[in-house]
């Protein structure tokens, strides 16, 4: 028995040590609406004043709930230089009041989590929708295009109703439901029907849209380090592709926002 125990010990000593696997990066994608009503999208949700006391209380509760995730980094839909300029002012209490969700959700959570760093990961991109409309008009496809647009408008109207009746947290939970995110992707996939032969404006639109989202996700991946817990706040239209990118990237784990948002 002693010889066997000694042999086992020697074999263990001689076996090559295995390198420890790096800790995974946990990423929570929180799809949001644009709280400052910039009106830059094809279809825009109308939001009330997030600086109102009622909404500020709701946002504080959301930040407190998400802080339980213990994020180490926050990523937001602004350019890096803008975040670098404004986040220190926010921490110092000198930033002008802002309706923007980057401030109201991103900066607020970063401060609540212990003034963790905030990264602007946005990338400008083209969204060539006019050629899609022109092709549809020339080929009798405008009714189909309008029908898809009407579906989006109905979804936005429902979000506005939830916001008015149930508040910001309920709105975010609705927007971040995986089934809702998948359904919202239908609009983009439907664009592939607009085109024929060598003329493919729908595919061109998706190529531009996917490129922007891949560049955004590249910025996210490149700022991550093993063991990070990152919360990403982005317009909900980006959620499907950002979730897909995180889910399919080795070393990253997608965390469902609705497991952490307050009820």
């Amino acid at each position: 028995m002693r010889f066997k125990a000694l042999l086992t010990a020697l074999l263990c000593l001689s076996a090559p040590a295995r390198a420890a696997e790096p800790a995974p990066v946990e990423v929570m994608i929180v799809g949001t609406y644009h709280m400052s009503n910039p009106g830059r999208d094809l279809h825009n949700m109308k939001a009330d004043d997030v600086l109102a006391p009622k909404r500020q209380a709701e946002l504080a509760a959301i930040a407190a709930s998400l802080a339980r995730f213990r994020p180490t980094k926050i990523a937001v839909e602004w350019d890096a230089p803008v975040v670098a300029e404004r986040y220190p002012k926010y921490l110092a209490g000198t930033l002008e009041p802002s309706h923007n969700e980057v401030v109201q959700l991103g900066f607020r959570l970063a401060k609540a989590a212990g003034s963790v760093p905030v990264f602007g990961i946005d990338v400008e991109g083209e969204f060539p929708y006019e050629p899609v409309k022109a092709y549809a008009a020339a080929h009798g496809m405008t009714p189909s295009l309008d029908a898809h647009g009407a579906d989006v408008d109905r979804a936005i109207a429902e979000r506005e109703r939830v916001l008015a009746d149930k508040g910001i947290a309920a709105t975010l939970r609705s927007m971040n439901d995986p089934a809702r995110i998948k359904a919202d992707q239908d609009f983009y996939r439907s664009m592939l029907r607009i085109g024929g032969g060598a003329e493919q404006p729908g595919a061109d639109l998706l190529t531009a849209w996917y490129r922007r989202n891949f560049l955004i996700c590249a910025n996210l991946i490149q700022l991550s380090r093993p063991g990070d817990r990152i919360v990403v706040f982005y317009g909900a239209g980006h959620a499907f592709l950002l979730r897909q990118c995180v889910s399919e990237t080795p070393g990253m784990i997608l965390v469902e926002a609705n497991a952490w948002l307050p009820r």
Side-chain angles (χ1 to χ4, degrees), residues 78-111:
W78 270 357
D79 294 339
V82 177
V83 171
E85 175 202 357
R86 297 183 187 178
Y87 181 50
K89 292 180 181 179
Y90 178 85
L91 293 177
T94 59
L95 185 67
E96 289 292 321
S98 172
H99 294 80
N100 194 285
E101 65 275 5
V102 169
V103 174
Q104 293 300 325
L105 288 170
F107 288 4
R108 188 189 297 265
L109 174 59
K111 184 176 181 180

Side-chain angles (χ1 to χ4, degrees), residues 141-173:
M141 304 179 76
T142 297
S144 175
L145 200 61
D146 290 345
H148 288 296
D151 288 341
V152 175
D153 286 337
R154 279 190 289 272
I156 289 176
E158 173 61 15
R159 289 175 188 172
E160 291 174 349
R161 186 193 65 76
V162 173
L163 179 62
D165 294 347
K166 299 181 180 180
I168 298 174
T171 304
L172 294 180
R173 286 199 308 273

Side-chain angles (χ1 to χ4, degrees), residues 1-256:
M1 292 296 291
R2 289 181 180 177
F3 175 75
K4 185 176 180 181
L6 179 60
L7 180 61
T8 300
L10 289 172
L11 287 173
C12 290
L13 288 173
S14 62
R18 290 185 177 180
E21 290 288 333
V25 178
E26 298 179 62
V27 182
M28 182 192 305
I29 305 292
V30 184
T32 72
Y33 62 94
H34 295 305
M35 296 180 173
S36 58
N37 294 304
R40 295 181 60 191
D41 298 329
L42 286 178
H43 304 267
N44 296 279
M45 176 175 165
K46 294 181 178 64
D48 60 359
D49 185 4
V50 292
L51 298 183
K54 174 185 175 181
R55 295 308 191 199
Q56 287 293 293
E58 292 177 36
L59 288 162
I62 290 168
S65 187
L66 292 178
R68 296 181 296 115
F69 177 62
R70 295 181 296 113
T72 58
K73 294 172 181 173
I74 309 295
V76 296
E77 193 176 354
W78 270 357
D79 294 339
V82 177
V83 171
E85 175 202 357
R86 297 183 187 178
Y87 181 50
K89 292 180 181 179
Y90 178 85
L91 293 177
T94 59
L95 185 67
E96 289 292 321
S98 172
H99 294 80
N100 194 285
E101 65 275 5
V102 169
V103 174
Q104 293 300 325
L105 288 170
F107 288 4
R108 188 189 297 265
L109 174 59
K111 184 176 181 180
S115 300
V116 301
V118 181
F119 296 85
I121 62 171
D122 197 32
V123 177
E124 287 296 323
E126 299 295 324
F127 196 77
Y129 191 68
E130 287 305 315
V132 171
K133 289 175 61 178
Y135 186 96
H139 294 81
M141 304 179 76
T142 297
S144 175
L145 200 61
D146 290 345
H148 288 296
D151 288 341
V152 175
D153 286 337
R154 279 190 289 272
I156 289 176
E158 173 61 15
R159 289 175 188 172
E160 291 174 349
R161 186 193 65 76
V162 173
L163 179 62
D165 294 347
K166 299 181 180 180
I168 298 174
T171 304
L172 294 180
R173 286 199 308 273
S174 174
M175 296 173 75
N176 286 280
D177 178 78
R180 178 73 261 168
I181 292 170
K182 185 176 183 299
D184 289 345
Q185 180 69 6
D186 290 350
F187 170 79
Y188 296 101
R189 287 296 185 182
S190 70
M191 293 300 101
L192 293 178
R193 299 184 183 279
I194 311 299
E199 189 176 1
Q200 296 289 347
D204 291 340
L205 183 145
L206 257 67
T207 299
W209 178 243
Y210 272 60
R211 183 178 191 275
R212 181 185 174 198
N213 282 277
F214 272 123
L215 290 172
I216 293 166
C217 196
N219 286 338
L220 172 63
I221 290 169
Q222 290 158 18
L223 70 85
S224 69
R225 298 294 180 269
D228 271 342
R229 294 181 301 279
I230 305 174
V231 177
V232 181
F233 291 105
Y234 242 81
H238 298 268
F240 183 91
L241 293 180
L242 293 181
R243 286 166 59 94
Q244 182 182 45
C245 186
V246 168
S247 298
E248 295 177 355
T249 298
M252 285 189 156
I253 296 174
L254 179 66
V255 176
E256 290 294 343

